[in-house]
Amino acid sequence: MIRTRRSSVQLDAALLTLLFGAIGFIGYRVTVGLHYNWNWAVIPQYIFRYDEESGRWVANYLLQGLLTTIRLSLWSGMLALLFGLFMALARTGRSLFWRMVSRSYVELMRNLPPLVLIFIFYFFLADQLALLLGIDDLVRNSGERLQSVIGLLFCKPEQLSAFLAAVVTLAVFEGAYITEIIRAGIQGVERQQWEASHALGLTRLHALRYIILPQAMRQVLPPLAGQFISLIKDSAIVSIISIQELSYQGTQLMASTYLTIEVWVTIALMYLLLTFPASMGVGWLEKKFARGRA
Amino acid sequence: MKSAEGKRKELIIDVRHINKIFPGPIPALVDFSARVDRGEVLVVIGPSGSGKSTFLRCLNGLEEIDSGTIIVDSIPLDDDEKHRLEIRREVGMVFQSFNLFPHMNVADNIGLAQRLVRKKNRKDALVTTMDLLHKVGMAEKANAYPAELSGGQQQRVAIARALAMNPRVMLFDEATSALDPEMIGEVLEVMMNLAREGMTMVVVTHEMGFAREVSDRIIFMEHGRIIEQGETENFFLAPEQERTRRFLDQIL
Ligand SMILES: Nc1ncnc2c1ncn2[C@@H]1O[C@H](COP(=O)(O)OP(=O)(O)OP(=O)(O)O)[C@@H](O)[C@H]1O
Ligand SMILES: [Mg+2]
């Protein structure tokens, strides 16, 4: 026991040395080979900037991007969960029509590149639907208060329709995977649980609500959380429609500063800041539920 | 339970000529008819795969019949979903594998259907729940989760859960078959008390001593057909069919 422990520590140390060695070597090659001028010092000012007018520190490009990514992920995550739950219920329900609807939805989403979806949804939702619903006018004519609430919850008011299109696209896309996760969870609950519910005279809806779904959700919490991490990463794709999230801000900043490596390493760290705690949370959940079942 | 003679009989379960075929060589039920009066205890015996469970499961619509009629407490079990729900509310069922809800504690297992189906408020439901838990000797486990209970304890809770709906008929499908021998007695005792109180029961069991003591009538079936049926004493003392005698010899 102690022996294996010590040797695994030695192994870790060796691996870490190797890793840092590799990083150092790459850094060296970039510097020497590409004549790259490192300039880390300017990066912090793209995270925070001092606002002369108000005399306060405010978020700059990168931090704004991070906040947009967080908002984007939270909204589309919640919406995707709703889609997924609804479609999973449709898929496991009794109506052949709804089963087919759900199945087609999942297959369609899984067999299309998300990029294509984004363009279709963006031009349809942001241009047509938003126009139809008059979102832009509504926002433009709304008061200062409402505009600042929108800014806090979503994005800059003038970009709201694009932002909503992005949220819906991501939600529809991730919703397909969530559908499959929840469907597996529902079907994973023993058939006898349905029978016990039916024997008591519970309706199908009551059985689902109180007996089946609570057990299914326990099982699927870890994979759901994993899917949420995927969503955070996948959200980078909406930079293509100029949503000013983290990756978009990265491309902009890179174009104006030429500090390619500094910018993208910083951005990578910021993504890790979001996904790593989430991963740890998933690990914790998995352990917790594994113990609960034993 | 052996009822006092002279009382007027009231038909609770009326099954006529039902057929049920699963994909496979042997039909589960063939032209099967049975009647159970109020307060009567009917025991169904037969070798494995003879259709005993299928019969019970047809009675509350867990299994759909291919043809024939089933009437429970004057309600026909037909395509009408309302009838099916009504019947299920009048019929309690206890399974071989208990099937408690693992994510709820004992009290909620018993209280849930009272609130959802019988529309009782939380307080009234809890009163009934605790009464029933006392009755099956599980009152001190009201807050335990199913996984923390022994098999015998789980089955007693499952019986209480079915009784909480105040059913007019109870169905038992090998309620003690999954139990360790030392726990069989406690569950049989609860069932025995129920029968004494006049509950109408249809019981599938391999416990012949118990069957003999508790039942008014016995049905012996094989390959989905009734081979022989009769009043309990006669059935055990003088079975008519050769097949019945062989089965009883084997099992007793
Ligand atoms: N869901 C099902 N699908 C296919 N065949 C089934 C199904 N349920 C039961 N059967 C078949 O129907 C027949 C009757 O089964 P049933 O479970 O009613 O027998 P049983 O008398 O309860 O047996 P046991 O004593 O083993 O519980 C058997 O041949 C069985 O294989
Ligand atoms: Mg059986």
Side-chain angles (χ1 to χ4, degrees):
Chain A
M1 200 58 208
I2 290 171
R3 257 199 86 75
T4 53
R5 215 181 155 76
R6 164 136 27 92
S7 67
S8 85
V9 167
Q10 282 168 347
L11 194 67
D12 284 351
L15 282 175
L16 276 178
T17 316
L18 218 62
L19 186 67
F20 281 112
I23 291 174
F25 177 71
I26 292 171
Y28 172 76
R29 285 303 304 167
V30 168
T31 313
V32 175
L34 298 175
H35 305 290
Y36 193 87
N37 292 315
W38 292 99
N39 187 5
W40 280 101
V42 298
I43 291 297
Q45 77 187 27
Y46 294 119
I47 299 176
F48 285 105
R49 125 188 111 79
Y50 188 74
D51 188 33
E52 304 282 351
E53 255 174 63
S54 61
R56 276 190 315 194
W57 287 93
V58 294
N60 206 357
Y61 298 116
L62 289 178
L63 191 55
Q64 277 172 3
L66 182 70
L67 291 175
T68 302
T69 292
I70 292 175
R71 291 184 187 112
L72 198 59
S73 304
L74 285 180
W75 286 115
S76 44
M78 281 191 274
L79 202 57
L81 193 62
L82 278 180
F83 284 164
L85 187 59
F86 178 80
M87 284 297 177
L89 290 178
R91 181 68 181 275
T92 52
R94 279 183 299 187
S95 149
L96 181 65
F97 172 74
W98 282 108
R99 282 207 302 272
M100 274 165 53
V101 166
S102 169
R103 181 157 190 164
S104 317
Y105 162 66
V106 169
E107 290 304 322
L108 200 64
M109 290 305 134
R110 289 209 296 201
N111 289 298
L112 279 177
L115 204 60
V116 173
L117 273 178
I118 295 228
F119 282 125
I120 294 176
F121 269 72
Y122 176 60
F123 289 115
F124 178 67
L125 278 181
D127 283 8
Q128 304 299 310
L129 219 55
L131 202 69
L132 221 60
L133 295 174
I135 289 180
D136 290 324
D137 284 343
L138 206 73
V139 172
R140 213 170 300 130
N141 299 332
S142 63
E144 194 117 313
R145 278 275 293 281
L146 185 62
Q147 295 216 355
S148 67
V149 169
I150 289 173
L152 197 69
L153 291 179
F154 303 104
C155 62
K156 295 193 189 112
E158 62 272 19
Q159 294 163 353
L160 187 61
S161 57
F163 183 86
L164 292 182
V167 166
V168 173
T169 312
L170 281 174
V172 168
F173 180 67
E174 301 289 334
Y177 294 87
I178 292 181
T179 300
E180 284 299 276
I181 291 173
I182 297 183
R183 178 189 64 82
I186 291 176
Q187 291 177 342
V189 176
E190 286 181 343
R191 202 194 65 227
Q192 285 96 322
Q193 291 289 309
W194 280 106
E195 292 184 346
S197 316
H198 286 148
L200 285 168
L202 263 59
T203 58
R204 196 184 143 74
L205 219 59
H206 275 155
L208 258 180
R209 161 80 182 73
Y210 293 97
I211 309 299
I212 306 301
L213 276 182
Q215 294 182 57
M217 287 322 254
R218 256 170 230 227
Q219 296 296 315
V220 303
L221 217 50
L224 268 188
Q227 193 61 39
F228 185 66
I229 293 172
S230 290
L231 184 138
I232 295 175
K233 296 186 292 180
D234 293 347
S235 73
I237 203 168
V238 300
S239 60
I240 204 80
I241 54 171
S242 305
I243 304 296
Q244 299 175 355
E245 46 69 69
L246 199 46
S247 297
Y248 178 86
Q249 301 293 65
T251 45
Q252 297 295 68
L253 205 57
M254 180 180 69
S256 57
T257 62
Y258 300 106
L259 296 173
T260 312
I261 297 181
E262 291 89 333
V263 167
W264 288 108
V265 167
T266 309
I267 282 178
L269 289 176
M270 285 177 136
Y271 273 116
L272 281 178
L273 202 68
L274 293 184
T275 53
F276 200 62
S279 285
M280 305 258 284
V282 175
W284 180 78
L285 277 179
E286 268 167 358
K287 236 187 249 146
K288 188 175 139 112
F289 284 119
R291 201 179 305 142
R293 264 199 305 279
Chain B
M1 206 65 198
K2 331 264 152 130
S3 50
E5 288 300 322
K7 243 197 316 187
R8 263 196 63 164
K9 286 189 174 170
E10 184 192 347
L11 196 59
I12 300 270
I13 294 177
D14 187 3
V15 173
R16 297 189 186 195
H17 308 294
I18 59 171
N19 287 279
K20 173 76 190 174
I21 298 178
F22 289 110
I26 311 162
L29 291 173
V30 184
D31 195 28
F32 194 100
S33 298
R35 297 152 66 93
V36 184
D37 291 320
R38 174 184 301 290
E40 197 180 14
V41 177
L42 172 67
V43 163
V44 182
I45 59 176
S48 179
S50 57
K52 308 180 295 290
S53 299
T54 306
F55 169 53
L56 284 194
R57 292 160 57 82
C58 285
L59 288 179
N60 66 350
L62 284 185
E63 223 55 91
E64 287 202 33
I65 52 177
D66 300 332
S67 62
T69 57
I70 295 176
I71 298 174
V72 179
D73 205 19
S74 310
I75 309 164
L77 183 58
D78 48 27
D79 291 339
D80 191 340
E81 183 66 21
K82 269 208 335 241
H83 288 159
R84 188 190 299 258
L85 281 178
E86 268 179 73
I87 287 178
R88 284 173 174 168
R89 283 161 196 190
E90 303 306 330
V91 176
M93 185 163 194
V94 176
F95 302 86
Q96 180 175 346
S97 50
F98 328 135
N99 302 354
L100 292 178
F101 305 132
H103 59 300
M104 296 178 179
N105 68 19
V106 165
D108 287 338
N109 262 276
I110 301 173
L112 184 77
Q114 297 181 58
R115 283 185 274 131
L116 292 181
V117 180
R118 293 288 185 221
K119 311 288 180 209
K120 286 194 203 170
N121 62 34
R122 204 170 259 281
K123 212 177 105 214
D124 290 349
L126 191 62
V127 172
T128 308
T129 299
M130 290 316 294
D131 278 353
L132 287 169
L133 282 177
H134 277 292
K135 189 166 165 175
V136 299
M138 290 292 295
E140 73 281 15
K141 294 287 188 185
N143 292 317
Y145 280 80
E148 299 161 358
L149 303 178
S150 73
Q153 291 174 323
Q154 288 191 53
Q155 194 61 298
R156 285 186 280 153
V157 171
I159 293 174
R161 178 176 69 175
L163 289 175
M165 296 299 291
N166 203 8
R168 315 193 66 177
V169 184
M170 285 285 284
L171 311 176
F172 292 87
D173 190 1
E174 301 195 29
T176 57
S177 293
L179 298 177
D180 292 336
E182 71 270 19
M183 295 171 189
I184 291 177
E186 65 196 50
V187 172
L188 291 183
E189 193 187 315
V190 169
M191 292 168 66
M192 203 66 167
N193 288 337
L194 260 185
R196 279 200 199 98
E197 288 168 14
M199 177 63 80
T200 310
M201 297 171 31
V202 182
V203 182
V204 171
T205 184
H206 291 303
E207 302 284 333
M208 286 305 139
F210 170 72
R212 198 164 178 166
E213 199 176 341
V214 78
S215 68
D216 300 300
R217 240 164 6 101
I218 305 261
I219 284 181
F220 170 62
M221 61 187 296
E222 186 169 41
H223 299 327
R225 296 169 204 268
I226 296 181
I227 304 291
E228 180 164 359
Q229 59 178 319
E231 309 242 323
T232 304
E233 280 315 304
N234 285 337
F235 181 90
F236 280 107
L237 289 177
E240 284 169 12
Q241 302 292 324
E242 170 59 24
R243 181 69 191 91
T244 314
R245 274 194 291 267
R246 257 189 292 134
F247 179 75
L248 289 178
D249 281 348
Q250 221 171 46
I251 203 163
L252 287 177

